[in-house]
Amino acid sequence: MNITINEQEGCLVAALSGDLDNVASIQAERDLAPVFGRDDCDVILDCTDLSYISSSGLRILLNIYKHTRKNGHAATLRGMTGEVDEALRLSGFLQLFKVESV
């Protein structure tokens, strides 16, 4: 699991790659700490290179959604494919987040 965070056009963009499974979610929470440290911008979660997401990963996404919403901003999912798209669709997450295709 690899996460890079950049600021682009006033938004934080977190690019997720690899498997966001139960083991990786512990480090992912640490890596995503800068997102929770900001309350002044929208957040885009770029899932283009994310190949798998577990329930622990879904919990992290839900926490990001709650954080941004609480601060009056939006959380967007970008570029989901395959298994990740199916997991997010079945869990109802696509109804919470804004969704962008790549």
Side-chain angles (χ1 to χ4, degrees):
M1 175 86 236
N2 187 38
I3 298 173
T4 56
I5 299 175
N6 296 298
E7 192 162 342
Q8 296 175 358
E9 299 176 16
C11 295
L12 279 183
V13 178
L16 313 173
S17 64
D19 292 347
L20 184 49
D21 57 19
N22 294 337
V23 173
S25 67
I26 296 165
Q27 184 61 44
E29 283 188 285
R30 290 185 202 123
D31 293 344
L32 288 165
V35 172
F36 295 102
R38 299 279 302 266
D39 59 5
D40 61 340
C41 60
D42 292 346
V43 174
I44 297 172
L45 299 165
D46 187 342
C47 302
T48 305
D49 295 322
L50 187 64
S51 53
Y52 175 81
I53 188 164
S54 70
S55 59
S56 296
L58 291 173
R59 181 182 48 79
I60 292 169
L61 297 187
L62 183 60
N63 287 337
I64 291 171
Y65 169 79
K66 288 178 178 179
H67 174 76
T68 56
R69 178 114 173 158
K70 175 183 80 172
N71 293 303
H73 294 281
T76 301
L77 296 171
R78 175 188 289 164
M80 295 88 47
T81 59
E83 249 184 77
V84 173
D85 181 64
E86 184 176 353
L88 293 168
R89 187 174 311 286
L90 292 173
S91 65
F93 276 53
L94 297 184
Q95 295 173 2
L96 298 175
F97 289 82
K98 290 184 175 182
V99 177
E100 281 183 11
S101 2
V102 186

